[in-house]
Amino acid sequence: MTNHVSAGFLTRANALFRKNLTFQKRNIWSNVRLIVIPFYLCLLLVGIQVLFDTQVNNSADNRCGCQCILKNGDGKCERKSCGLQYSSIKQAAFCAFPNPPPLLPLLHIPRPETRSVDGSRGSCRRRGSCPVTILVTGNNQSLGAILSRNLLRTSFTMNSSDIFLRNLAYNVLSTTSEADYTNFREPGIYSDLPIFNIQPRCKSTPNLSFSFRQPPLKFYKEVRCVRGLNLWRNNSKEINDEIYKGNYRQGNHEEIINEVATAYDFLDTDRNNFNVAIWYNSTDKGEFKMQDRRVKMVRVPRLVNLASNAYLQFLRGPGTKMLFDFVKEMPKQETRLRVDIASIIGPIFLTWVILLLFPVILTSLVYEKQQRLRIIMKMHGLGDAPYWMVSYAYFLVISTLYIVCLMIFGSAIGLKFFRYNDYSMQFIFYFLYINLQISIAFLLSSAFSRAETASVAAYIYVFGSGLLGGFLFQFMLEGLTFPRSWIFVMQLYPGLSLYRGLYEFSEYALKKTLNGSDGMKWKHFSDSAMDEVFYIIIIEWFLTLIAAYYMDRVSSSAKYPFVFLKNPFKKSPSPKMHSFRRQGSAVSIEMEKLDVIEEREKVEKLMLEPSTSHAIVCDNLNKVYPGRDGNPPKMAVQGLSLAVSAGECFGMLGPNGAGKTSFINMMTGLVKPTSGTALVQGLDTCNDMDKVYTNMGVCPQHDLLWETLSGREHLLFYGRLKNLKGSDLNQAVEESLKNVSLFRGGVADRPAGKYSGGMKRRLSVAISLIGSPKVVYMDEPSTGLDPASRMNLWTVIKRAKKHTAIILTTHSMEEAEFLCDRLGIFVDGRLQCIGNPKELKGRYGGSYVFTMTTSSEHEKDVEMLVQHVSPNAKKVYHIAGTQKFEIPKEDVRISDVFQAVEKAKSNFKVFAWGLADTTLEDVFIKVARTSQTFNVFS
Ligand SMILES: *[C@@H]1O[C@H](CO)[C@@H](O)[C@H](O)[C@H]1NC(C)=O
Ligand SMILES: *[C@@H]1O[C@H](CO)[C@@H](O)[C@H](O)[C@H]1NC(C)=O
Ligand SMILES: *[C@@H]1O[C@H](CO)[C@@H](O)[C@H](O)[C@H]1NC(C)=O
Ligand SMILES: *[C@@H]1O[C@H](CO)[C@@H](O)[C@H](O)[C@H]1NC(C)=O
């Protein structure tokens, strides 16, 4: 009827894959939500960009000023004109300059408080009258003296007929304002600072004001006289030293600053040669990232003009003048502020987006572990390899979809972060990272036992990594003083290696926005830090996978996660254990009951000549858990020999901790026996477990079901694991739904989370029975059920028993009696007795229980009566007139008892009386008690 070829790797992987698919289909909305998260976040980024565009990039302040020059009737503007004349100073930076205005060539001089105090010992500082120092040197000192005298004009020349700048060209005008970004203005003119005229000697009325026109704007400037001082130095080295030392700042308080305006070295200048070297200060104050166009005024031309003029006058006499009217910048087009805010905040944002998958993966892995779904799948033969591969593949697919959606949304919406960088590089980067992320989730899943804890920890990791990256790591990256090796070390933290990659992408996107360079391309792979990040991610990925594999191995097989840390010099406990066991088994042979010995002999015979009549054969099975923390080793199962034939239901009774679950775990391949063999259908559980699984079903003590999957889907999944396919599968599922009456009213298609306890239990039983396994283990199948449901379940099991060997553990004697053909009572890992319920009762009970209640003065009479019926009767219970006796069966005939009671009733008053056969419960208690007492003595 069914195909009992064992399910191969692919079949199992397929079963799990389809189960996961259904599971995820159930969770379709949370999946869709997950995948559209990138969409929302990209929208958010675009929203921020749009807001920034309207508020900053396109705000009136950040573009060339305009004015309405023609209004129509209803007040609307018909024509606007934009240009410098309508702009504020700030706006002017963005205007087109088809014809840049002429600029006054100014000289830069130090501010009064930083000027050189050479000779005057600082007294001029207090008065604010320090001269502007110009240092001069050259090969010929007498020539140098002449030239330096010619450098400065003695008077301020002002011609009333104001023709543009010509007037001012006669004078050496200077400013203390920084030579900042000019926007095609000379900051010395439009700032509030006065203009200085440098003269060798200032007259008493030095200051005059005049209106100064620098088209198209008009400025009113005050011109002040400032004393210029030319000092000879012996050589250029001296000048260098002086400037270097003069620029020395000591701490924050005392600043020894002696700035000179400029210095000239006239070298070998003579009548025929004019050779000059000029010192000037071009210290830049750093650059603004947001400024899209940087123009710095270089105030050098005036310095050159001064020297040339001085030389000209030396050659041609004092009347000669070389006028320097103006300087003029190159024309420029209208510009706009184009700040790509999305790329600037992109790294932190996208770090969050990509890390957001981590909690999802981790939580889902820990959930399966927490709900012990992993164990039950393993019991049904789903090995580690298919489980990990399908889980990995599944998370990889989801993550890849997520990333692809992110890239598509991001590009479609127009985020430059995605558009400007090479797509293949981005994809490979994200792809590598999500692989690393999945492996980390696998590794960490063994560290958590509760899904809630795992998810909280994972979210802390996500937000922590983003913040760490954005507010700490980025500053370290941009600050040039932070050691690069530490940056590398920080990148070993996965969140930061992701951040670094995203940061590089955003930098390249920004650069492209600003000055049109390439975005990130493969050719930049090693220039940027991308190579470093890629290698870190790949290496960590492999290491994490190996570690995850190891941790899973260890945590599922042994209880010691750090096996390799165990002290190798510690004496192994095994020799001691051996002797202990040998001793134990000697005792057990001596003590073993006849029925147990018989069973052992049967098994020994079966082991010699294998037959298929017995589905389960266990030969001398032992399981010893090594001792821990100084406790002796625990012998969970000792010398168990058992044969269960097909169509038989074997009931395992025993007190808690007797080793029933250990036995079932061994039989289902979860743990390996310490010694002995177990054959299922003639296949060894140690070697052929894969084949065994196809013929095996398990119904665990607790319902291990997926809340969101329906009953039918559960059965389909487990049916596939049993290698059922196509119509066979559907038929088997329908049948088993019918068998456990989960068929009517669409129950089969409701999620299992909504089932009542009885329905869940029936589903668990149905799962264990699907695919007509030859062997089924049931661990307390009816615990916690109401009597009606229990009856229902029993009928199902009873029907299934026909072709199947069932091993069933239970605490309910009623269940054992109803379902089981044979029973074994298990105490302390050892089988104490075995036989069918009737036999056991006969053997261990072997007596009737006689109860009688009278008034207390007749108690003696009752005792007499019982003695009369059977001299061997034993009183087992006595309280306030009620007495209970055990009467050996062979001593009495029931009719004798009735006669005796009738006679007694006539003598004294009998309130109540009863005669009962022994129950299985009595047997159980008796066996458990005697063997436990024995074990205490042995
Ligand atoms: C130095 O310059 C002066 C003035 O031009 C000139 O007379 C003199 O010969 C020069 N001295 C030397 C050593 O070149
Ligand atoms: C002043 O201007 C007049 C005519 O514009 C010119 O002749 C005269 O030389 C100028 N004065 C000076 C000192 O340049
Ligand atoms: C510069 O040279 C003159 C004459 O040669 C000398 O007296 C003076 O000490 C020198 N100055 C320095 C600072 O060396
Ligand atoms: C050069 O200019 C900067 C900025 O104005 C100033 O801080 C520095 O002291 C100047 N250096 C010298 C040698 O004058």
Side-chain angles (χ1 to χ4, degrees):
M1 182 175 88
T2 42
N3 177 5
H4 280 289
V5 174
S6 93
F9 176 86
L10 283 180
T11 317
R12 288 181 189 153
N14 172 45
L16 179 62
F17 181 71
R18 295 176 73 152
K19 185 229 58 175
N20 279 356
L21 217 59
T22 340
F23 185 71
Q24 298 305 338
K25 220 158 65 192
R26 257 321 109 63
N27 293 346
I28 185 81
W29 285 114
S30 54
N31 281 324
V32 167
R33 251 175 276 146
L34 185 69
I35 293 203
V36 296
I37 282 175
F39 179 69
Y40 285 124
L41 291 175
C42 286
L43 271 188
L44 189 59
L45 265 186
V46 168
I48 292 173
Q49 178 76 62
V50 167
L51 193 71
F52 193 85
D53 281 347
T54 51
Q55 294 303 312
V56 180
N57 279 350
N58 294 334
S59 81
D61 267 354
N62 287 326
R63 58 176 174 208
C64 190
C66 294
Q67 208 176 44
C68 191
I69 53 166
L70 191 70
K71 278 191 184 162
N72 62 10
D74 41 336
K76 269 202 180 148
C77 193
E78 225 161 52
R79 201 146 65 82
K80 274 202 305 192
S81 183
C82 300
L84 201 57
Q85 64 271 37
Y86 310 115
S87 303
S88 69
I89 299 213
K90 214 174 159 202
Q91 289 173 324
F94 299 98
C95 289
F97 284 92
N99 187 14
L103 300 178
L104 190 65
L106 290 178
L107 193 68
H108 184 80
I109 57 169
R111 284 171 294 129
E113 60 274 21
T114 61
R115 276 178 207 157
S116 168
V117 292
D118 183 88
S120 57
R121 295 187 187 282
S123 59
C124 68
R125 278 249 165 114
R126 282 190 295 279
R127 280 180 278 123
S129 65
C130 289
V132 172
T133 312
I134 297 174
L135 302 178
V136 180
T137 187
N139 296 354
N140 186 336
Q141 188 174 355
S142 57
L143 177 64
I146 299 168
L147 291 178
S148 95
R149 216 176 306 127
N150 290 350
L151 280 175
L152 302 177
R153 317 279 148 80
T154 47
S155 63
F156 180 62
T157 322
M158 193 64 205
N159 211 331
S160 55
S161 52
D162 171 27
I163 42 163
F164 187 41
L165 292 171
R166 169 59 56 90
N167 272 313
L168 293 166
Y170 288 109
N171 306 290
V172 181
L173 295 182
S174 52
T175 180
T176 55
S177 80
E178 288 289 341
D180 245 329
Y181 307 124
T182 66
N183 305 332
F184 298 88
R185 313 282 169 94
E186 165 56 82
I189 297 293
Y190 71 70
S191 72
D192 299 333
L193 296 167
I195 293 181
F196 295 96
N197 182 38
I198 306 180
Q199 284 172 261
R201 202 160 290 106
C202 282
K203 305 243 170 57
S204 50
T205 53
N207 297 353
L208 60 139
S209 225
F210 74 111
S211 86
F212 167 75
R213 211 155 57 82
Q214 181 173 7
L217 302 171
K218 202 161 186 175
F219 296 94
Y220 294 90
K221 296 302 293 188
E222 183 191 358
V223 178
R224 288 191 197 161
C225 175
V226 64
R227 195 156 69 85
L229 185 65
N230 296 342
L231 296 173
W232 175 260
R233 293 290 180 262
N234 282 351
N235 50 46
S236 66
K237 187 175 169 300
E238 249 171 60
I239 292 186
N240 251 343
D241 287 352
E242 197 170 335
I243 294 178
Y244 177 69
K245 286 178 190 147
N247 198 31
Y248 173 65
R249 275 157 217 257
Q250 194 178 40
N252 282 334
H253 303 290
E254 204 178 336
E255 297 191 339
I256 311 167
I257 303 171
N258 280 316
E259 289 181 16
V260 297
T262 181
Y264 292 101
D265 182 355
F266 286 105
L267 302 165
D268 58 351
T269 299
D270 57 22
R271 280 205 165 271
N272 304 320
N273 291 316
F274 179 50
N275 257 346
V276 65
I278 306 173
W279 278 259
Y280 74 96
N281 183 358
S282 69
T283 307
D284 200 335
K285 291 187 100 185
E287 50 183 58
F288 287 104
K289 209 178 217 175
M290 291 202 181
Q291 203 80 25
D292 61 342
R293 184 142 308 222
R294 271 155 266 180
V295 182
K296 181 167 172 168
M297 187 110 229
V298 183
R299 292 189 182 126
V300 175
R302 187 40 123 175
L303 294 175
V304 180
N305 170 260
L306 273 187
S308 323
N309 222 351
Y311 183 66
L312 207 60
Q313 285 182 15
F314 158 69
L315 283 184
R316 308 282 297 271
T320 321
K321 274 185 185 133
M322 185 158 70
L323 292 188
F324 188 15
D325 280 359
F326 57 83
V327 290
K328 198 167 161 168
E329 297 215 27
M330 292 200 183
K332 94 177 214 318
Q333 304 241 315
E334 181 173 349
T335 51
R336 298 210 134 184
L337 190 64
R338 279 173 305 169
V339 179
D340 187 11
I341 191 76
S343 292
I344 292 172
I345 59 173
I348 187 166
F349 227 77
L350 291 171
T351 303
W352 280 332
V353 174
I354 293 166
L355 286 182
L356 213 54
L357 284 171
F358 183 71
V360 177
I361 299 172
L362 186 64
T363 315
S364 133
L365 284 173
V366 176
Y367 177 79
E368 292 213 323
K369 204 174 89 171
Q370 179 193 345
Q371 303 292 90
R372 300 200 290 166
L373 293 164
R374 177 85 192 81
I375 298 278
I376 181 73
M377 287 193 279
K378 220 169 173 178
M379 279 187 175
H380 278 97
L382 187 72
D384 288 326
Y387 177 75
W388 288 119
M389 284 184 74
V390 169
S391 305
Y392 195 97
Y394 168 71
F395 289 127
L396 191 61
V397 167
I398 281 280
S399 304
T400 310
L401 270 178
Y402 182 84
I403 291 298
V404 168
C405 286
L406 176 69
M407 285 171 63
I408 291 176
F409 292 150
S411 315
I413 282 173
L415 289 179
K416 303 202 171 82
F417 186 94
F418 296 105
R419 284 204 174 172
Y420 283 3
N421 295 313
D422 187 67
Y423 279 111
S424 63
M425 194 159 175
Q426 290 186 66
F427 180 76
I428 290 176
F429 173 69
Y430 297 136
F431 186 75
L432 287 177
Y433 188 77
I434 56 182
N435 273 298
L436 173 61
Q437 181 158 278
I438 295 170
S439 341
I440 294 175
F442 277 15
L443 176 62
L444 290 186
S445 70
S446 51
F448 290 100
S449 51
R450 291 179 51 79
E452 289 84 357
T453 335
S455 101
V456 169
Y459 278 110
I460 291 176
Y461 165 74
V462 170
F463 289 105
S465 299
L467 295 177
L468 206 64
F471 295 105
L472 184 71
F473 186 57
Q474 185 162 345
F475 288 116
M476 291 175 172
L477 276 181
E478 285 169 359
L480 295 169
T481 49
F482 199 74
R484 296 290 107 177
S485 50
W486 278 102
I487 299 265
F488 180 83
V489 171
M490 288 180 81
Q491 274 164 201
L492 295 180
Y493 176 70
L496 291 185
S497 53
L498 173 67
Y499 190 89
R500 180 66 192 268
L502 296 172
Y503 174 79
E504 293 297 327
F505 282 134
S506 93
E507 282 298 288
Y508 275 79
L510 276 176
K511 266 192 224 163
K512 181 160 178 173
T513 318
L514 284 183
N515 53 23
S517 62
D518 288 348
M520 175 81 79
K521 296 262 150 42
W522 280 108
K523 66 183 179 202
H524 300 122
F525 184 61
S526 46
D527 304 343
S528 58
M530 272 328 220
D531 54 344
E532 201 172 290
V533 173
F534 269 57
Y535 298 140
I536 288 178
I537 290 178
I538 292 173
I539 291 169
E540 280 186 353
W541 173 28
F542 278 111
L543 293 182
T544 327
L545 269 187
I546 293 168
Y549 173 78
Y550 177 78
M551 288 302 283
D552 182 63
R553 267 278 122 118
V554 165
S555 68
S556 65
S557 62
K559 271 132 194 132
Y560 307 104
F562 299 104
V563 175
F564 55 89
L565 291 182
K566 268 207 316 194
N567 187 352
F569 302 109
K570 214 160 117 186
K571 221 173 100 197
S572 157
S574 56
K576 218 163 96 198
M577 198 176 75
H578 254 295
S579 62
F580 188 35
R581 200 165 53 192
R582 222 175 285 132
Q583 185 194 353
S585 74
V587 173
S588 79
I589 284 169
E590 193 185 316
M591 281 308 299
E592 250 173 10
K593 308 286 181 328
L594 208 63
D595 45 358
V596 181
I597 295 171
E598 256 171 32
E599 185 77 13
R600 179 184 298 280
E601 277 162 1
K602 186 167 98 188
V603 166
E604 270 156 19
K605 214 180 290 159
L606 280 172
M607 292 301 287
L608 291 180
E609 39 188 285
S611 83
T612 47
S613 64
H614 284 79
I616 300 170
V617 181
C618 306
D619 181 27
N620 202 14
L621 216 51
N622 284 294
K623 178 72 203 173
V624 182
Y625 290 113
R628 262 206 289 176
D629 307 328
N631 292 330
K634 176 168 168 42
M635 283 179 264
V637 176
Q638 305 178 50
L640 176 70
S641 290
L642 182 68
V644 181
S645 59
E648 182 184 344
C649 175
F650 180 81
M652 255 189 161
L653 307 179
N656 292 325
K660 290 171 294 180
T661 308
S662 292
F663 169 67
I664 289 196
N665 284 350
M666 269 192 283
M667 296 308 288
T668 50
L670 278 189
V671 296
K672 288 231 177 320
T674 313
S675 68
T677 22
L679 302 182
V680 173
Q681 294 286 105
L683 298 166
D684 192 331
T685 51
C686 288
N687 307 325
D688 290 319
M689 207 55 215
D690 274 357
K691 284 184 200 137
V692 172
Y693 279 130
T694 320
N695 288 322
M696 192 184 88
V698 183
C699 171
Q701 212 176 87
H702 305 284
D703 300 303
L704 303 178
L705 305 170
W706 286 271
E707 301 262 299
T708 48
L709 289 190
S710 70
R712 187 190 304 278
E713 284 153 357
H714 275 93
L715 290 170
L716 281 171
F717 168 55
Y718 288 109
R720 284 196 188 101
L721 278 185
K722 295 272 152 57
N723 211 12
L724 291 177
K725 288 191 183 95
S727 58
D728 281 350
L729 177 65
N730 287 331
Q731 197 186 334
V733 168
E734 294 304 311
E735 262 173 30
S736 83
L737 283 171
K738 259 182 215 145
N739 283 343
V740 297
S741 1
L742 286 175
F743 200 66
R744 273 184 304 270
V747 176
D749 296 309
R750 283 219 314 260
K754 300 223 166 78
Y755 283 9
S756 68
M759 284 153 84
K760 280 186 186 164
R761 216 62 205 128
R762 291 207 300 262
L763 177 57
S764 291
V765 169
I767 286 173
S768 67
L769 294 175
I770 185 120
S772 310
K774 292 279 178 268
V775 173
V776 174
Y777 305 97
M778 293 184 179
D779 205 355
E780 305 183 18
S782 70
T783 19
L785 292 190
D786 64 85
S789 312
R790 195 159 53 169
M791 205 57 215
N792 216 327
L793 191 75
W794 286 350
T795 334
V796 174
I797 298 175
K798 204 145 196 177
R799 207 179 307 139
K801 204 168 74 173
K802 282 178 204 132
H803 352 263
T804 308
I806 299 179
I807 289 188
L808 178 145
T809 76
T810 181
H811 286 304
S812 153
M813 299 305 143
E814 209 184 336
E815 182 170 81
E817 214 162 349
F818 188 90
L819 289 176
C820 300
D821 304 304
R822 278 199 306 158
L823 292 173
I825 297 181
F826 226 59
V827 180
D828 286 341
R830 221 174 299 180
L831 205 52
Q832 298 296 341
C833 62
I834 189 165
N836 71 40
K838 265 217 192 75
E839 267 169 33
L840 285 184
K841 276 193 277 188
R843 203 178 316 143
Y844 289 89
S847 51
Y848 292 113
V849 176
F850 176 78
T851 324
M852 185 169 260
T853 310
T854 59
S855 55
S856 43
E857 64 261 30
H858 295 300
E859 279 175 6
K860 270 266 153 331
D861 296 327
V862 176
E863 262 176 58
M864 298 269 287
L865 179 147
V866 174
Q867 283 297 319
H868 174 74
V869 172
S870 159
N872 296 327
K874 257 193 329 198
K875 182 146 84 170
V876 290
Y877 178 79
H878 170 207
I879 188 168
T882 300
Q883 296 177 87
K884 207 176 195 179
F885 300 89
E886 263 182 23
I887 305 173
K889 274 186 184 165
E890 59 272 17
D891 286 6
V892 289
R893 291 221 320 271
I894 294 180
S895 57
D896 293 347
V897 179
F898 273 81
Q899 265 173 17
V901 171
E902 284 308 315
K903 217 164 95 195
K905 271 182 178 172
S906 56
N907 292 341
F908 51 88
K909 189 155 174 57
V910 174
F911 296 142
W913 74 282
L915 183 69
D917 202 347
T918 31
T919 58
L920 206 49
E921 209 161 315
D922 299 323
V923 174
F924 175 74
I925 292 170
K926 207 164 182 177
V927 172
R929 196 181 288 152
T930 47
S931 53
Q932 267 167 345
T933 1
F934 160 74
N935 280 348
V936 169
F937 289 120
S938 71

